[in-house]
Structures are given as C-alpha cells and as structure tokens.
C-alpha cells in the first residue's frame, strides 16, 4: 500500500491519472449506453442496484486486466489464421463481444419497434437482476480491452492506471442514472442508443479483421444523429402541444356557438 501511495505522490503521476481517466470516459461511452439499455429491462427499483453492482464488478475485471500486463501483451500475438487473416486472442474476444452486441441490439430494436413506449406485452419477460449484473462486467471486458492496452502503452504505471479506472467507473456510475432516466423519458433516443450499439458491435468484429472504423468517427456520427433526434423530439412535442391547443380552442368555440344559438 505504501508503494502504491508513493507511486501517486508526484505531480506527473496525477497528470497521468487525469489523462487516463479522460481516456477511459471517452472510450467508455458505448459501455454506459449498453449498461443503461440492459438495466432498463429491469423493474425501476432494481435498475440502480444493477448498474452499481455491475460497474463495481467491472472495476474488478479491469484491475485484473491491468495486473496481468505481460498476459495482455501476449493477447495480440497471432493464434490462428482465418481466410488469410491472423487472429489473436484479442481479435477472438472482439469478434465474440461484437457478435453478442449485435444480437442484443437487434433484439432490442425489434422489441422497441413492436412496443415503442414499453407498455405492452413486448416489454414482458424482463431479464433477471443476476443476469444483468453478470453481463455488465463480461461485456466490459470487450469494451475495455483496447483502452486498457492503450493505457499500458501510455503510462505503464499500474497504480496510476488503477486509480484512473476507479475514478472513471465512479463517474460512470454517477452518469448512468441520469442517462437512464433521460432515455426512459425519450423513447426515440433509446432506439438510437440501440442502433449505436449495433454499429459498435459491427465495428468490433471489423476491428478483429483490421478493417474497423476509428471510434472517433463512430462517436461523431452518433452525436450528430443524437442532436438531430433531440430536435425531432422537440419539434414533435411542439406540434403535439399545438394540435391539442387548437383542438381545445375549436371545442370551446363550438360550445360557445351552441350556447349563443
């Protein structure tokens, strides 16, 4: 413990902590979206618990990854060849995680298309609390694999990396609640979030074959689509309010005409 504290005692170490924390937060956007959508299938009283416990377990998995630095470097060595492409353990993890995300996203999109407001039978059969808690750290391994390898390349200081991971997860826990409530209040944005995860899953599989799109492009695309969706939701709300106001005015005018007649 003393060595851990000593490693964080210099200003350069805290600059590294800040830099890596920001990196984890930027690369963890898709993770927060997945957790939010996954937890939304639970009863409202269990959603916060699932997010908190799931992310706490995710911290454990990330710290374990950081502790196995030598093992992580071996993950990038080719293990087998498929269609002339050498695949490492990292690539296989990306393929498996990407396919899992794609399946989950398609199922979520189908459910939302059948019941956009989440009030009918399509929202029945919700997942269990335990399955959600277990899925969060498992998929976090896929999401965090590249960011952990990048963090090792940038810093290489385990105490700095562990501190950055813990701080980033604290921010994610705090942000997941407001994000979940906002998505619940705006179902079209939840549909967009599921489409974003489908895009991320497809890109993970593509990355395994070295044809993936840089994450910055994906985030910018979805940010632009999200802004457009926000304006669309706002415009639809305004149109709906105007229609209700006009209907009330017409009804009042009709009633006054009947009384005067």
């Amino acid at each position: 413990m003393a060595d851990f504290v000593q490693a964080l005692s210099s200003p350069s170490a805290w600059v590294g902590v800040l830099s890596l924390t920001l990196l984890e937060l930027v690369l963890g956007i898709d993770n927060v979206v997945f957790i939010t959508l996954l937890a939304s299938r639970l009863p409202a009283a269990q959603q916060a618990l699932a997010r908190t416990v799931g992310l706490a377990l995710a911290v454990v998995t990330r710290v374990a990854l950081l502790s196995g630095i030598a093992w992580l470097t071996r993950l990038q060595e080719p293990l087998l060849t498929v269609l002339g492409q050498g695949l490492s353990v990292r690539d296989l993890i990306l393929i498996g995680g990407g396919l899992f995300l794609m399946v989950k996203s398609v199922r979520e999109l189908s459910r939302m298309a059948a019941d956009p407001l989440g009030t009918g039978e399509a929202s029945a059969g919700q997942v269990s609390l335990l399955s959600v808690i277990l899925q969060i750290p498992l998929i976090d391994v896929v999401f965090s694999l590249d960011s952990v390898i990048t963090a090792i390349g940038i810093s290489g200081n385990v105490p700095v990396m562990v501190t950055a991971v813990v701080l980033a997860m604290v921010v994610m826990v705090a942000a997941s609640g407001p994000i979940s409530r906002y998505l619940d209040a705006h179902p079209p944005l939840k549909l967009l979030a599921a489409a974003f995860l489908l895009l991320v899953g497809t890109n993970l599989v593509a990355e395994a074959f070295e044809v993936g799109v840089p994450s910055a492009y994906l985030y910018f695309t979805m940010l632009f689509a999200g802004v457009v969706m926000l304006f669309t939701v706002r415009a639809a709300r305004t149109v709906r309010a105007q229609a209700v106001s006009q209907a009330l005015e017409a009804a009042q005018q009709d009633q006054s005409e009947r009384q005067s007649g």
Side-chain angles (χ1 to χ4, degrees), residues 7 14 38 47 52 54 69 74 83 94 101 127 133 137 140 150 152 157 168 173 189 233 250 253 255:
W14 282 104
L38 189 62
Q47 292 181 13
T52 303
I69 292 178
R74 290 197 297 268
L83 300 176
L94 291 179
L101 273 181
V127 295
I133 290 176
D140 182 75
T150 302
I152 292 172
N157 189 330
V173 170
L189 292 179
V233 170
Q253 184 177 0
Q255 184 178 3

Side-chain angles (χ1 to χ4, degrees), residues 82-150:
V82 177
L83 300 176
Q85 175 70 39
L87 298 179
S88 62
V89 175
R90 166 191 172 275
D91 297 328
L92 295 178
I93 293 175
L94 291 179
I95 292 173
L99 292 175
F100 174 78
L101 273 181
M102 292 167 66
V103 172
K104 293 286 290 186
S105 301
V106 169
R107 291 179 61 184
E108 196 70 18
L109 287 169
S110 300
R111 185 181 67 86
M112 292 180 188
D115 184 21
L117 298 179
T119 56
E121 294 182 357
S123 62
Q126 295 175 327
V127 295
S128 67
L129 176 62
L130 180 60
S131 67
V132 170
I133 290 176
L134 293 179
Q135 285 182 67
I136 290 174
L138 288 177
I139 201 64
D140 182 75
V141 171
V142 179
F143 282 133
S144 65
L145 195 57
D146 277 347
S147 65
V148 168
I149 293 175
T150 302

Side-chain angles (χ1 to χ4, degrees), residues 182-200:
Y182 192 80
L183 290 179
D184 287 339
H186 302 84
L189 292 179
K190 189 178 291 187
L191 189 69
L192 181 65
F196 172 57
L197 288 179
L198 178 60
L199 189 62
V200 170

